[in-house]
């Protein structure tokens, strides 16, 4: 029996643009791969019902910003389907610690006590990883299995269907998506990745959060409340 990933995608404006992807060869192959992994007893993060959490939390036509991550956290209990976010009871990962530091420096908002970013998602921030599953303790284990093609389609959908969206492209993998984004319609903000390995090369001091809100204001939209 085939794994039907589409059953975990709610609508919120996404289905009309994404459902046809589930019938394409790359997605059929991806679902076959995932089913084989599950059947072999491997632990895959996030849970199936949370794979599309980013899409299920942020309605397409409410997207104001896109923060692109890579693949999900691969530690136990960390990943729940939204880039950089962890559940409230989970220790805040280093990259998110640095994101909170930059928000405090930029906007004066002190770091939150946990790393659960659902409020941002509800504010219109699409927290999208470019790969949506990972094997426990094996970073990038599901790289080049098909997810990249699916998430490219998501980026292209936002680019086409929305206006004046701010794309946060942190690090080289995210910045490879720049060519998909119409810079006459949207704002692209680029910086090194916020991980401890690269944050001091220009992530700190990038002031992306105030730049985002200024752009939204200039284009007659409501700003994002970055407090959690």
């Amino acid at each position: 029996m085939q794994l039907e990933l589409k059953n975990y995608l709610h609508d919120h404006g996404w289905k009309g643009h994404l459902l046809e992807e589930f019938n394409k060869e790359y997605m059929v192959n991806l679902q076959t791969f995932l089913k084989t992994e599950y059947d072999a007893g491997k632990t895959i993060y996030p849970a199936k019902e949370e794979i599309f959490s980013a899409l299920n939390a942020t309605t397409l036509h409410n997207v104001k910003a896109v923060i692109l991550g890579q693949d999900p956290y691969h530690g136990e209990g960390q990943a729940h389907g939204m880039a950089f976010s962890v559940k409230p009871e989970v220790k805040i990962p280093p990259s998110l610690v640095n994101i909170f530091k930059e928000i405090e420096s930029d906007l004066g908002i002190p770091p939150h006590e946990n790393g659960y970013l659902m409020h941002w998602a509800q504010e219109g921030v699409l927290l999208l990883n470019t790969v949506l599953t990972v094997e426990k303790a094996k970073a990038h284990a599901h790289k080049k299995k098909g997810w990249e093609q699916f998430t490219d389609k998501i980026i292209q959908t936002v680019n086409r269907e929305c206006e004046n969206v701010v794309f946060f492209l942190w690090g080289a993998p995210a910045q490879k998506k720049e060519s998909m984004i119409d810079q006459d319609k949207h704002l692209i903000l680029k910086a090194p990745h916020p991980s401890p390995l690269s944050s001091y090369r220009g992530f700190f001091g990038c002031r992306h959060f105030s730049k985002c809100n200024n752009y939204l204001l200039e284009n007659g939209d409501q700003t994002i409340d970055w407090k959690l």
Side-chain angles (χ1 to χ4, degrees), residues 164-202:
N164 306 318
V165 172
V166 182
F167 287 83
F168 293 74
L169 305 184
W170 296 331
Q175 288 166 17
K176 288 178 182 175
K177 309 297 186 185
E178 183 176 4
S179 62
M180 299 179 194
I181 302 162
D182 182 349
Q183 297 188 49
D184 292 329
K185 285 177 66 179
H186 308 293
L187 176 65
I188 295 174
L189 298 175
K190 294 190 290 185
H193 194 274
S195 82
L197 296 174
S198 56
S199 54
Y200 288 93
R201 297 188 203 136

Side-chain angles (χ1 to χ4, degrees), residues 119-138:
H119 175 67
W120 291 1
Q122 293 168 341
E123 284 282 296
V125 182
L126 182 64
L127 296 161
L128 182 67
N129 281 314
T130 52
V131 174
L132 299 187
T133 57
V134 70
E135 184 180 344
K136 180 180 180 180
K138 291 190 178 179

Side-chain angles (χ1 to χ4, degrees), residues 201-218:
R201 297 188 203 136
F203 176 77
F204 289 133
C206 68
R207 301 185 67 85
H208 280 181
F209 303 93
S210 60
K211 288 176 181 176
C212 170
N213 277 353
N214 289 339
Y215 175 80
L216 293 173
L217 272 178
E218 288 166 7

Side-chain angles (χ1 to χ4, degrees), residues 4 21 23 29 34 43 52 54 64 97 107 130 142 146 168 172 194 204:
E4 292 284 355
E21 297 299 302
N23 298 319
N29 292 339
L34 286 173
T43 300
F52 299 124
K64 297 178 182 177
V97 169
L107 298 173
T130 52
H142 294 180
F168 293 74
F204 289 133

Side-chain angles (χ1 to χ4, degrees), residues 154-174:
I154 295 170
I155 294 167
Q156 291 160 2
T157 299
V158 173
N159 177 65
R160 184 182 65 249
E161 298 296 322
C162 303
E163 301 284 340
N164 306 318
V165 172
V166 182
F167 287 83
F168 293 74
L169 305 184
W170 296 331

Side-chain angles (χ1 to χ4, degrees), residues 77-119:
Q78 290 183 305
H80 69 97
M82 292 194 283
F84 294 105
S85 181
V86 291
K87 292 284 182 71
E89 67 278 5
V90 177
K91 182 181 177 182
I92 302 175
S95 291
L96 186 54
V97 169
N98 286 340
I99 290 169
F100 286 165
K101 284 180 181 176
E102 177 59 23
I103 289 174
E104 182 172 31
S105 170
D106 189 11
L107 298 173
I109 298 170
H112 195 58
E113 61 196 25
N114 66 58
Y116 189 50
L117 305 182
M118 179 61 79
H119 175 67

